[in-house]
Amino acid sequence: MTGAKRKRSAAWRKIQAVRFEDIKVWCMRRLPILKWVPVYNWKENLIPDTVSGMMLAIQQVTQGLAFAILSSVHPVFGLYGSFFPVIIYAIFGMGHHVVTGTFALTSLISANAVERLVPSVRTNFTTNNNSGVLGLSEFEMQRIGVAAAVSFLGGIIQVTMFMLQLGSATFLLTEPVISAMTTGAATHVVTSQVKYLLGMKMPYISGPLGFFHIYAYIFENIRSVQLEALLLSLVSIVVLVLVKELNEKFQRNIKVVLPIDLVLIIATSIACYYADMEYVYGLEVVGHIPEGLPSPKTPPMNVLPEVVTEAFGVALVGYVASLALAQGSAKKFKYTVDDNQEFLAHGLSNVIPSFFFCIPSAAAMGRTALLYSTGAKTQVACLISCLVILVVIYAIGPMLYWLPMCVLASIIVVGLKGMLMQFRDLKKYWNVDKIDWSIWVSTYVFTICFAANVGLLYGVVCTIVIVIFRFPRAKTLNLKNVKEVEYKYKTEDNCESLKQVKIVSVNNPLVFLNARKFHADLIKIIQKDNMSSQACEDVNKCEQNTLLCSFSNGSCHGESLQSCHSERRVLILDCSGLNFFDYTGVSVLLQIYMDCKNRHIDVLLAHCKASLIKAMQYGGNLESENPVFFESISLAIDAIQIHRVRLTAGVGEIWRASWMLPAIC
């Protein structure tokens, strides 16, 4: 048998070895919709999902129109971008409260390619030229072609990253870097809308330091500000902010919040129509909105080489912002998100819709916050919003002709409030870790001076370099055995009362590189202890680079043990080896504290440095009747003895684990 025949035979044997169960498991892992649809509780969840879906559709429509303008394409393509990506993500995505669609940051990035390859020949969308597809002009179809090409290539990059399993590399994207990048990008978006808010006619300005050139141009041409547009913009912003603040304040007392975005759009459109503001005052309006969905068409492949930079920006920035929302949602509602699966979901949400004239998509903070506030339970809310958007596309869209552009710009600016308010994070970074504070500031400056993708790259590189320099100073990259606890158990009573005490020693820095691993290992230990039916069971190694050592007092062996799962247990974290930490590390410690509290486990911390105590007290609300921080393990155990009436005397032995950071090669 030749080599080629042997290879074919081996491949055929592998295909035959695949069982139905293997295919089923693969489909369940790659199509999360197959998991949650069969167990969907129609009776309890359908009503809140329907209400949330209708509210979401209103926001999707307004943001779709606004972000399409931001992307330098016709507003109708924003409606398509609020429909197709939502359906794709509902099938492949894992975030229950994550809604893909048009996104300010990806729209701003794609606008660079659109303006560069199809320069602007006019600054409004009022032309009703039926010479092209959908009743739009050839100029507008060329523009959406470039935006669709950016979406297509960005999605291909995300799918490639999924195939290369690069989701595990997301630990490099620390919270300060993401916060600074999104805040800087939001500042860029606001700047890009100033021309509409002021009613000015100005050329498209981008590139390095383009942020400053825009404001220089505005001040040089300040006399060309249109007072009618400025007044309408100010009124719109005041109304939007005021009503949204009232909605947030009274959201517990009202079941349905006032959709002020929709009300404002309807009111200003009617006013503009009856007052004929387009011609009397020269206000720029949205213009002709075609009806119905377009037929699929392949994006122009000839422009792909020219949009590689923007495609990478869309792929990385969109994924980072979306993953942060998915992880936050998973943490809030206690489920898990696979980073690699999110790469696939967002990649397909960009590739497939690009054939239907969609601009690049990603998840947005405002839409996720809306689902939180309206009580959405599952992705059904997103699918219901698609039905409402479909009605808008076929029936209501043409009525938006008279919508003023300055009102859309006001909606964009107010919608970015959540991102802009991240400036408040500077205070907590300063109090927890000043190096994280400096990373935030410098990443924000780079994003402002250049672009979001450049700022993101700088933040990641800067974080890696700082950690590499900090680790050698800590001198903690050596594995060593766990020391004996200095506390001596002299009496049988002591041993019995401390059977439910667990001692975990952290012998390395706790930073973004190892925080997630530390949290996962500790949760595994706790879960293993919950499931264990034998108290004197040895603790196995969790990972190749994680050392978990157990110990027990000799006087406890051989005694009869009784199950006391209903009693409260105690976890002591020995922080003597925690030489330094960052904001991510502190967040993980606080998360562990809350997770254990929910499991009815008291957490005590021993050998804590003053800086760690200050950071934890500042970063979270450590609600406890008894002290949480102790100078030594002995004092912590003494406190347990004093309050042993609140502890159990049941399952377990006292064991100690040392958690080690993998060496950086």
Side-chain angles (χ1 to χ4, degrees), residues 373-548:
S373 62
T374 53
K377 303 298 182 183
T378 66
Q379 293 96 316
V380 171
C382 305
L383 297 177
I384 291 175
S385 74
C386 291
L387 296 178
V388 180
I389 293 172
L390 202 59
V391 174
V392 173
I393 291 174
Y394 276 95
I396 304 176
M399 301 179 186
L400 299 173
Y401 180 98
W402 298 99
L403 176 61
M405 294 290 292
C406 59
V407 174
L408 270 183
S410 302
I411 292 174
I412 292 178
V413 171
V414 176
L416 294 172
K417 174 190 169 186
M419 289 186 182
L420 296 173
M421 293 301 287
Q422 291 179 134
F423 277 109
R424 295 182 298 184
D425 294 344
L426 283 171
K427 183 178 179 181
K428 70 180 180 182
Y429 294 135
W430 179 266
N431 285 279
V432 174
D433 184 12
K434 291 179 176 56
I435 293 182
D436 277 345
W437 181 89
S438 63
I439 291 176
W440 196 104
V441 173
S442 57
T443 301
Y444 176 80
V445 170
F446 262 76
T447 303
I448 287 296
C449 293
F450 301 98
N453 50 347
V454 176
L456 182 64
L457 179 62
Y458 165 82
V460 171
V461 172
C462 185
T463 303
I464 293 174
V465 170
I466 288 177
V467 169
I468 291 175
F469 276 97
R470 291 177 78 182
F471 262 78
R473 291 174 54 194
K475 300 180 180 179
T476 55
L477 293 178
N478 58 321
L479 295 174
K480 49 187 178 183
N481 295 327
V482 180
K483 298 178 180 178
E484 288 293 331
V485 178
E486 57 270 14
Y487 194 89
K488 304 300 180 182
Y489 309 101
K490 297 181 179 180
T491 67
E492 188 172 323
D493 291 339
N494 286 350
C495 180
E496 287 295 327
S497 66
L498 295 174
K499 282 180 180 177
Q500 291 289 12
V501 177
K502 310 299 177 184
I503 305 176
V504 177
S505 179
V506 186
N507 286 344
N508 284 103
L510 191 56
V511 294
F512 74 97
L513 283 172
N514 61 352
R516 187 184 301 182
K517 183 71 165 54
F518 172 72
H519 180 266
D521 287 344
L522 192 55
I523 293 299
K524 285 181 182 178
I525 294 170
I526 296 172
Q527 290 175 342
K528 183 175 181 179
D529 182 62
N530 288 340
M531 298 171 59
S532 177
S533 60
Q534 297 179 354
C536 297
E537 182 181 20
D538 292 333
V539 180
N540 297 324
K541 281 190 175 183
C542 287
E543 292 286 345
Q544 175 180 338
N545 295 319
T546 304
L547 186 62
L548 297 174

Side-chain angles (χ1 to χ4, degrees), residues 9 195 260 387-388 499 602 624:
S9 177
K195 63 180 180 180
I260 185 58
L387 296 178
V388 180
K499 282 180 180 177
D602 292 322
S624 177

Side-chain angles (χ1 to χ4, degrees), residues 155-313:
I156 293 295
I157 293 171
Q158 289 175 326
V159 173
T160 303
M161 290 179 174
F162 158 75
M163 297 175 66
L164 296 176
Q165 299 290 295
L166 294 181
S168 57
T170 55
F171 70 91
L172 293 172
L173 304 172
T174 62
E175 184 175 331
V177 172
I178 296 175
S179 174
M181 182 273 294
T182 53
T183 306
T187 308
H188 271 297
V189 173
V190 172
T191 300
S192 69
Q193 296 305 296
V194 171
K195 63 180 180 180
Y196 296 116
L197 295 174
L198 301 179
M200 294 181 63
K201 310 295 182 183
M202 61 180 295
Y204 183 81
I205 301 174
S206 63
L209 303 180
F211 174 85
F212 304 101
H213 293 312
I214 290 175
Y215 285 105
Y217 182 92
I218 291 173
F219 285 114
E220 289 175 0
N221 299 271
I222 196 67
R223 294 181 179 276
S224 63
V225 171
Q226 194 175 15
L227 295 180
E228 294 82 4
L230 176 60
L231 180 61
L232 185 55
S233 299
L234 291 176
V235 172
S236 300
I237 291 175
V238 170
V239 171
L240 287 169
V241 172
L242 182 61
V243 176
K244 287 178 181 290
E245 288 293 330
L246 291 175
N247 283 340
E248 291 181 8
K249 185 176 181 179
F250 297 105
Q251 64 180 358
R252 294 184 179 179
N253 302 325
I254 54 178
K255 294 183 178 180
V256 180
V257 298
L258 177 64
I260 185 58
D261 293 357
L262 178 64
V263 173
L264 185 65
I265 286 177
I266 295 174
T268 53
S269 298
I270 293 175
C272 186
Y273 172 75
Y274 282 104
D276 201 13
M277 294 183 182
E278 180 184 9
Y279 300 106
V280 175
Y281 301 107
L283 280 183
E284 187 177 352
V285 297
V286 168
H288 170 64
I289 301 289
E291 297 180 12
L293 292 174
S295 300
K297 183 180 179 181
T298 305
M301 298 298 170
N302 59 311
V303 303
L304 294 184
E306 302 181 66
V307 298
V308 172
T309 302
E310 288 81 9
F312 267 102

Side-chain angles (χ1 to χ4, degrees), residues 428 432 583 586-587 590 613-622:
K428 70 180 180 182
V432 174
Y583 181 81
V586 174
S587 298
L590 291 170
I613 296 174
K614 178 183 176 183
M616 291 192 66
Q617 289 176 337
Y618 182 83
N621 187 14
L622 302 176

Side-chain angles (χ1 to χ4, degrees), residues 2 115 169 199 257 268 286 336 370-371 458 496 571 631 633:
T2 63
E115 293 287 351
V257 298
T268 53
V286 168
T336 57
L370 177 66
L371 291 184
Y458 165 82
E496 287 295 327
L571 171 67
E631 293 182 0
I633 298 177

